[in-house]
Amino acid sequence: RVDDPILDVSNIDTYYGLSQALHDVTITVGEGEVVSLVGRNGAGKTTTLRSIMGITPPNRGTIELNGQEIQGNKPHQIRHSGVSWVPEDRRVFSELSVEDNLDMALTTGTNDRDKADIYDRFPRLEERRTQAAGTLSGGEQQMLAIARALLGPPIELLLLDEPSEGLAPMIVEEITDIIRSLSDDDVTLLLVEQNAELALELSDWAYVIETGRIVHEDHADALLGDRELLEQYLGVK
Ligand code: ATP
């Protein structure tokens, strides 16, 4: 589908103990693309991201970042290779201030973004710079999680796990605008969402996952227009 992809996941199988969570999953992401992986609860979306990050490495198949195999590497090595991850549960350090959370990310490395760039992009975080992260609203914590993922070692690919989860519709719109602005800045994104319509509206290409298998892939526009498929695999009415 893409020549010289940034991310090339080929035929991976991933297990939790004896239970196979991913079956022969293949996903490619080209430079500057927004690709989404959509599917119902428990379909294997998070496991795919965890496999890429080296948290649950695949037992079979390969994962290449810019042509280099990374499967089998440790999560911190994978982060240093350029894959940054915003986990589903956000995992901000609740007791630390917003600024300290950002400084923690900066201890792992630097790229051409600094805190001033982050505060330009997220004025709400600047206003709340000294506030403990645990006291931020859900939307603000999501902003902080994204902000943190943008700092540290240089980024080739950003993985976003369910950025809209648990957020009120107005806040989802704000997060959507943030994702769109990242994409306008040529950040390459792999987005996992249960909210298929949201993900498809943001994406160039999309994969549909069901019980650990990729069952469909297409231009996001085409998928968005296929009501029958959306209903069958994603429960969209
Ligand atoms: P959700 O949006 O609910 O997180 P998902 O599509 O991200 O869904 P996964 O979390 O990847 O799905 O789960 C895929 C399958 O792997 C599910 O059957 C789930 O029960 C199983 N699974 C996930 N985490 C573990 C674990 N730590 N141990 C055992 N099985 C797990």
Side-chain angles (χ1 to χ4, degrees), residues 16 21 40-47 88 162 194:
Y16 291 104
R40 293 179 201 256
N41 231 329
K45 303 180 299 294
T46 297
T47 304
E88 189 171 16
E162 303 265 1
Q194 249 183 79

Side-chain angles (χ1 to χ4, degrees), residues 12-179:
I12 62 166
D13 290 344
T14 298
Y15 290 77
Y16 291 104
L18 293 176
S19 147
Q20 187 169 358
L22 298 184
H23 301 259
D24 204 30
V25 166
T26 293
I27 288 174
T28 53
V29 183
E31 188 171 0
E33 274 192 324
V34 181
V35 170
S36 56
L37 176 63
V38 293
R40 293 179 201 256
N41 231 329
K45 303 180 299 294
T46 297
T47 304
T48 303
L49 298 189
R50 290 164 56 99
S51 299
I52 296 167
M53 279 316 293
I55 298 161
T56 53
N59 297 40
R60 190 181 72 91
T62 56
I63 301 175
E64 289 182 9
L65 186 71
N66 288 318
Q68 302 281 328
E69 289 192 11
I70 57 166
Q71 81 280 357
N73 294 356
K74 298 281 175 237
H76 74 273
Q77 294 170 318
I78 293 173
R79 175 62 190 89
H80 280 269
S81 312
V83 188
S84 196
W85 175 49
V86 181
E88 189 171 16
D89 53 9
R90 295 157 200 162
R91 297 197 206 162
V92 297
F93 295 102
S94 337
E95 306 295 322
L96 298 185
S97 68
V98 166
E99 183 129 332
D100 287 344
N101 268 272
L102 298 178
D103 285 335
M104 289 282 283
L106 286 167
T107 63
T108 62
T110 50
N111 62 50
D112 53 12
R113 287 185 200 88
D114 60 14
K115 259 190 302 189
D117 298 322
I118 292 295
Y119 288 144
D120 276 349
R121 189 186 287 275
F122 302 97
R124 286 263 282 287
L125 294 183
E126 183 164 28
E127 285 163 25
R128 293 171 187 281
R129 220 170 54 237
T130 59
Q131 192 172 322
T135 65
L136 297 173
S137 71
E140 289 160 356
Q141 288 191 23
Q142 185 60 264
M143 287 176 206
L144 179 57
I146 295 173
R148 187 175 58 177
L150 291 171
L151 294 172
I155 295 161
E156 300 284 328
L157 171 71
L158 184 64
L159 310 177
L160 287 173
D161 195 349
E162 303 265 1
S164 79
E165 196 184 24
L167 303 180
M170 249 175 61
I171 314 298
V172 170
E173 265 176 54
E174 256 183 89
I175 299 290
T176 305
D177 289 343
I178 290 167
I179 298 172

